[in-house]
Amino acid sequence: MNTTMQKISIEKVKTSKIDQVDFDNLDFGSVFTDHMLVCDYKNGAWETPKIIPYQPISLEPSAKIFHYGQSIFEGMKAYKDTENKIWFFRPLDNHRRLNISAKRMAIPEIPEAFFMEGLKALVKLDEKWIPQKDGSSLYIRPFIFASGKGFHASPADEYKFIICLAPSGSYFSGKVKVLIEEKYSRSANGGVGYAKAGGNYAGQFYPTQLAAQKGYSQVIWTDDNNHEYIEEAGAMNIFVRIGDTLITGPTSDRILDGITRKSILQIAEDEGIPTEVRKITVSEVVEAAKNGSLKEMFGAGTAAVVSPISTFGFRDVDYDLPELAESYATRLKKRITDIQFNRAEDPFGWRYGL
């Protein structure tokens, strides 16, 4: 694998569109900065990345992304503190996970230097786009897809690695009502559930639409075998608090190794919150809701950080969770975001300055 790189070339926009953006009213991931990074894989090697004005991509109809779905992505953020210094949160973990996904999808891995130097150069160029309103940040979307052409069912011989930036407000507002899914599965043993592959998310949309028709905003995914264990909440890892213990399922072929998930577990340990990483049965959660020991459920992921669940539905019965004055969800989210925005000490070495 080519791990050396020439200097990144930069083509700047003639006129920025930043003045057209209302930074006080940003939807998540719908406004994009002036520039993007593009890197091509050809002739068995990654070429030097380049930064160009944000623009459409031209592909042939025979590009294999359209036919065989070789596509992976990451989600991360950049933050600006009160002194205008820029920070990332565990970016090397995003790079490692992108390559784990790449290997599973038979996509060539991207060298660390290409990822990190490209990321830093792009964010530095568009740093004025980083919002500083509370709850807002610069969302970063690195992705790789098959650009090589041909109808033969085989891995492509050419790929594109791109990073786009989107100044964004909060991903979710308020608490979430979810439905425990018993028919459809997000992933299966031996599959690609642990990879951030585009098809994983496409496959979620239809069951989520069905849940929305019943008044739920997300689905809690269960195992593909007997739908006995809860595994993820929408596109996020899931945590359950029974009594004082915080529980989340173990990572596997089916469950994404979430960076926010790992951070929550580490912070909980640091703060003396009892944690368990084990399989969680649906029946256990329902019974805990009935006897009052179920205190909290929340999703955890890059976009929302922590998304509290107010109600879950199972077999035509809704179970409301209690309103807590001092919830783990609020406590853990504050601890993570204080580290991300450089408002607190970072004893774990997660914060990465630009």
Side-chain angles (χ1 to χ4, degrees), residues 1-5 111-114:
M1 180 171 62
N2 178 25
T3 58
T4 60
M5 167 177 83
E112 181 182 309
F114 287 53

Side-chain angles (χ1 to χ4, degrees), residues 65-85:
I65 176 58
F66 300 133
H67 308 280
Y68 304 113
Q70 276 184 289
S71 174
I72 58 175
F73 69 95
E74 272 299 318
M76 51 196 302
K77 292 178 179 179
Y79 314 85
K80 193 177 279 187
D81 66 20
T82 54
E83 296 182 355
N84 288 321
K85 185 167 178 57

